[in-house]
Amino acid sequence: ELAEILKVCAQNTKIEHLEITTNASIEPTDEQLRIIRDFNIDVHISDYRSISDTYKQAKDRFVKRLEEYGIKYEYQFHDIWLDFGEIEKHEYTDKQLHRMYVHCPMNSCAVFNDNKLYKCGHTSYLSQHGMVEDGDDVIDLKKVRSRREMKARIRKFYSVKYAAACQYCLS
């Protein structure tokens, strides 16, 4: 459903800019590539220089496909590792959670995993391990039945004040 999600987000006037960050291990479909190109969506490729030759070959195929469609891309090199700390639930107020979320470097980095769209990697991890319940900060694509419902879910997804997983982050 990535193509549909990208299209709905790209057509939403409240969303100014879209970026996709990928490890390039899955080759995009022609439809996905057309949408990325046509809506000028930025593509960032995480660079894992020390990974196996299999990964390097997949990344090379991915880059070749982007170039075939005239899609610009860039590599992301991370100087620091984000440490979310121990998995411990904190008793933050709504105001504290909102402040943390607004200033979090991950608050605009949605993660797609197992047919679900999560607000961030931390939300994905905690949800998959049953530590937080899925709310408006998660879209289960297996349960979305129409384009209208998808639009409504995406609106809610991008209007949350904070993610449930923020309770587990360090302030």
Side-chain angles (χ1 to χ4, degrees):
E1 305 294 330
L2 181 60
E4 183 67 17
I5 292 169
L6 291 174
K7 196 176 208 178
V8 168
C9 290
Q11 292 173 336
N12 185 326
T13 58
K14 293 182 181 180
I15 298 174
E16 294 179 19
H17 182 77
L18 286 176
E19 297 177 359
I20 294 176
T21 301
T22 178
N23 65 8
S25 61
I26 299 174
E27 191 173 321
T29 66
D30 290 326
E31 180 185 17
Q32 292 165 347
L33 289 166
R34 280 191 299 275
I35 290 170
I36 291 167
R37 179 196 61 212
D38 294 348
F39 289 102
N40 200 27
I41 299 170
D42 288 345
V43 177
H44 300 275
I45 302 171
S46 298
D47 190 13
Y48 302 105
R49 295 177 180 194
S50 61
I51 303 288
S52 72
D53 286 337
T54 304
Y55 166 73
K56 290 176 189 172
Q57 292 167 3
K59 182 185 62 137
D60 290 344
R61 284 191 305 274
F62 185 90
V63 166
K64 183 179 178 187
R65 296 282 285 150
L66 292 175
E67 290 172 348
E68 287 172 6
Y69 276 81
I71 297 170
K72 294 179 184 175
Y73 61 91
E74 63 183 49
Y75 290 102
Q76 286 188 321
F77 303 96
H78 303 284
D79 295 331
I80 61 168
W81 178 260
L82 294 175
D83 183 1
F84 294 106
E86 297 295 320
I87 298 176
E88 178 183 341
K89 188 173 183 179
H90 304 280
E91 297 301 322
Y92 299 122
T93 65
D94 285 349
K95 187 175 180 177
Q96 289 172 312
L97 289 166
H98 179 67
R99 181 182 44 77
M100 288 169 52
Y101 177 74
V102 166
H103 296 288
C104 178
M106 302 298 289
N107 77 358
S108 63
C109 185
V111 171
F112 182 71
N113 190 7
D114 195 28
N115 287 313
K116 290 185 179 183
L117 189 63
Y118 297 92
K119 283 304 282 183
C120 68
H122 205 194
T123 301
S124 171
Y125 178 83
L126 293 172
S127 177
Q128 289 175 48
H129 289 85
M131 299 178 78
V132 295
E133 291 187 27
D134 293 352
D136 289 339
D137 55 342
V138 178
I139 301 174
D140 186 343
L141 299 172
K142 292 181 277 184
K143 294 181 180 178
V144 176
R145 299 292 176 226
S146 68
R147 184 177 173 92
R148 177 183 224 158
E149 183 181 352
M150 176 66 80
K151 285 182 178 182
R153 292 288 299 143
I154 288 173
R155 268 192 229 91
K156 284 183 181 179
F157 184 83
Y158 282 105
S159 66
V160 297
K161 301 279 188 208
Y162 56 84
C166 294
Q167 286 281 7
Y168 292 84
C169 286
L170 300 173
S171 61

